[in-house]
Amino acid sequence: HVQLVESGGGSVQAGGSLTLSCVASEYTRDYCMGWSRQAPGKEREGVASINSDGWTAYGDSVKGRFTISQDTGKDTIYLQMNSLRPDDTGTYFCAAVRSGGGTVATDCRAGQLSASDFAAWGQGTQVTVS
């Protein structure tokens, strides 16, 4: 499986911004990539996803505040997080699954992939908003 390494987490005051990065160990042109987060005592929540063709999807709680993007030349995806709130606090994970042109790609574009659909996960990076 592809290996993923996140970076960019940290502590920030409410209203601030952070940008997370996720570098993949191999070419990700045919992948759906996503960000999920998990707060203590809560289930993992999908935040955003981006298919290899550039289609993006967002969870309702982050729409208008977060932006997912990709640099396929660097096998890297980013999560720009603006207007951060205390309830954005959690461990943020990068995830990947091969999408091709089938059902996975369709679900990725619609933001309908669940955590169990992703084949590879990073180790996570902590984001704390106070």
Side-chain angles (χ1 to χ4, degrees):
H1 288 300
V2 61
Q3 294 183 336
L4 306 170
V5 179
E6 305 99 331
S7 62
S11 297
V12 64
Q13 292 187 337
S17 299
L18 282 174
T19 300
L20 307 182
S21 301
C22 171
V23 179
S25 62
E26 63 183 60
Y27 190 63
T28 55
R29 174 63 68 89
D30 294 324
Y31 280 80
C32 170
M33 306 289 290
W35 288 97
S36 295
R37 66 187 180 189
Q38 189 164 20
K42 295 187 177 181
E43 292 186 355
R44 193 166 294 192
E45 171 191 19
V47 173
S49 60
I50 184 166
N51 197 48
S52 55
D53 56 11
W55 279 72
T56 60
Y58 297 91
D60 288 341
S61 63
V62 306
K63 284 180 181 177
R65 300 187 298 122
F66 290 12
T67 302
I68 188 171
S69 61
Q70 63 184 0
D71 184 338
T72 55
K74 296 181 179 179
D75 297 326
T76 301
I77 65 167
Y78 305 94
L79 187 68
Q80 174 67 44
M81 305 185 293
N82 298 326
S83 303
L84 282 162
R85 310 184 306 216
D87 61 359
D88 292 318
T89 294
T91 302
Y92 283 68
F93 298 91
C94 176
V97 62
R98 288 188 184 276
S99 62
T103 303
V104 174
T106 300
D107 290 345
C108 180
R109 297 184 189 107
Q112 294 180 348
L113 292 177
S114 64
S116 62
D117 292 320
F118 286 94
W121 291 86
Q123 82 289 349
T125 185
Q126 178 66 34
V127 171
T128 302
V129 185
S130 59

